[in-house]
Structure formats: structure tokens, C-alpha cells
Amino acid sequence: MADLEKKANEAFIDDHFELAVDLYTQAIALDPTNPDLFADRAQANIKLNKFTEAVADASKAIELDASLAKAYLRKGIACMKVGKYENAKAALEAGTSLVPGESRFTNLIKECDELIAEETGESENHAADAQVNIVSRKDAVPEDTSSQAPMVIPSKPKYRHEFYQKPEEVVVSIFAKGIQASWVTAGFGEQTLSVSIEVPGEDGYHFQPRLFGKIKPDECKYNILSTKVEFRLAKAEPGLHWASLEYNKQTAVVQRIAVSSGKCRVMRCISQGSGLDFGTKLLKKPTYPSSKPKRVDWDKIEAQVKKEEKEEKLDGDAALNSFFRGIYQDADEDTRRAMKKSFVESNGTVLSTNWKEVGTKKVEGSPPDGMEMRKWEY
């Protein structure tokens, strides 16, 4: 059994978490009353994002040895990752009583309190109560503050983080140099990202935001690079723009990004027989993927172009060029490449925003009979 446990520990250190789970399971079969085996298998299951199994293993370890602090820690982490913040807090509080002052417990308990407050709306109630107290004390007799404890200023986060997004995913980077895989524990919930970085000999770093939108936990992943840890969160609703990384009631109204693989045929046509100007024809309204927070109102732009052409405030070709310059300037690199290639190869009759569709083949196209095409300049 000792040999199996040693091999399991080595597999875990080498980031072979599935092998570690298998070896711990074999060791447990030989010694089913060993709490350390269950606690260690719980940690391996956390690494594999198997949080339900991790909670079960940690609970069994606590049942076998109620003084095993690491079992409470791992149960707390696993519960947080599945959104069971009350259960997580209870486990963490029990664990911190065994190791008073341990930063990993105190930091996670604080995160639990914040998440619970967000869910129940207690944050607003506390703010309102504080405001009432401030007003009621304006005319009160000043208190003797000489014996009061000094104000504690929150310390600066150990690592800086930032994010950017695409229509299908959100990419979060935590800038930490020289991090080893065994120091990182990450989990993905329906609307949570949970990260713990435990560098030996240093205070732990914990980051667990309630995300702006929902994600697909099974499709999320992370990579450990030389200067950062990068997390890729698959959006549950592709095309939904996140106004921020973390959920905030002030930014709860979201914007949807129009994503389309369709083509836009643009024709500036003049009848060769009569010389009549038929104006700008949009056979399909253009849509394109973008992660920029700026929202483009295509209906408004199209209406404005038509109005200006009608009132002769803007020449027809100038209106067309202005309209599509706006599309091109706000597009991503693949969209621009698709627009260029489709327009050139079709002799100006097809304008596609889908690089996957037009990138591997020649775009065919020709103007309608009796019409001539005028070039759009981007």
C-alpha cells in the first residue's frame, strides 16, 4: 500500500492526475480507513475538475479523521467551485479552528462571505445601514477613538489579472512568473472561475469571481506559461458581449454580438439603357463577429445612408464607401481578410465576412445583366 501511495504522490507531482486518482483508488482498496488517501484523492479530483467526487472524498476523510485540516480545505474548495458557498464556508471555518491564522482558510472564508452576500443582496443592505449610521452620528458627541484599533487597509493583490473576449470565449490572464503546474488549482462552475496558486513558502493567492455571464465548464481550460496563467472560458451563449469580467448589477444589461457566416452582395447599379440611378442595394444585411464593447446599430447606419443619398447630402458612391469603411475599420483581422479576398475575386459583386468560408476557395461572382459595378474603396 505504501508503494502505491508513493507512486500516486509522484504521479500527482508530475501532473498525471488521472493516474494519481487510479493509484489512490488502488491504495484505498487495500487500506479503506486511511483518511490521507481520501484527502489526497480529493485534491487530484479537484485538478481534474471532478468536484462532486472531490467533495465526497474530502467528506470521507473528515469522517475518518475529524482533525485532518487539509480535508476541510479541499472540501471547502470543491464546494466553492460548484457554487455551494454556505457548505464551503462551514467546512473552511471548521478547518481554520484546527490551524488558526492559516491564510488559505481565512482568504477563502472571506471570498465565501462576499459571494454569499452577492447572492442574497446583503451587500446593499449593509451599505444602507452604514449610511444611516453616518447620518445619525452627525450630531452625536464625538467618541474617544484613542483605544480603537487602526483602520486596516486592504493589501494589493499578489498578482495582476486582465481579460479580453471573442464571440465564443473569454480569455483571462493572471500574470505570475515561474509558476509550476502543481501549485495551481483551477475550477470552472456554471458562472464562476476559481483559482488558487500556492507557492511554497509564500501566502496563497486566491481568485474566485462570479462571472459576468455563464460558461461551459467542460469546455474551459487553462495553460501555464512562463509569465502568466491563461484561462479560456467557453461562453454558454456565443456572441454575448461581457461588459466586464465579474458580474455587477450596474452592468447586468448585456449586448449581443451579431455573428453570421452569410455573404453581403453590394451593388451600385446604373441602367445602361436609361441612365437611371437605382441606388445602393443591400441583398443581405452585413453582420460580423466582434469583441469590442462598442455597439453598432446597423439599421440606423443604413437608414442614415439612404436618407443622405435621397437628400443629396452625400454622393451615392461616397455613401457606400463610408458605410463599408465603418464595417472594415471595426472588424477583426480574419473578417478584413475575408472582405478583401471575396471582393477582389468576385470582381466587386460579393463581400463576405467569413474567412473560414472564403479562405480556402475562390469566390465566384458576377454583376446582374445590364448593370455595371463601381468599386468600393476600403
Side-chain angles (χ1 to χ4, degrees), residues 334-352:
D334 282 346
T335 302
R336 291 185 177 187
R337 292 165 64 193
M339 292 172 73
K340 288 181 180 179
K341 185 174 186 294
S342 61
F343 191 85
V344 172
E345 293 183 353
S346 67
N347 294 320
T349 63
V350 177
L351 188 64
S352 174

Side-chain angles (χ1 to χ4, degrees), residues 269-334:
C269 306
I270 298 179
S271 171
Q272 293 180 338
S274 64
L276 296 177
D277 187 349
F278 287 91
T280 302
K281 306 293 184 182
L282 295 180
L283 303 187
K284 185 172 181 181
K285 187 180 298 181
T287 55
Y288 68 96
S290 172
S291 61
K292 296 185 178 181
K294 180 181 179 182
R295 185 173 182 270
V296 179
D297 189 336
W298 294 111
D299 292 330
K300 183 177 180 181
I301 293 175
E302 182 181 350
Q304 182 66 24
V305 170
K306 289 181 178 179
K307 179 181 177 182
E308 290 177 340
E309 283 193 326
K310 183 177 180 181
E311 296 177 356
E312 297 183 349
K313 292 181 179 180
L314 187 65
D315 180 74
D317 286 336
L320 184 63
N321 284 335
S322 176
F323 179 71
F324 283 100
R325 271 198 301 270
I327 299 175
Y328 185 81
Q329 289 172 358
D330 289 336
D332 59 25
E333 187 60 31
D334 282 346

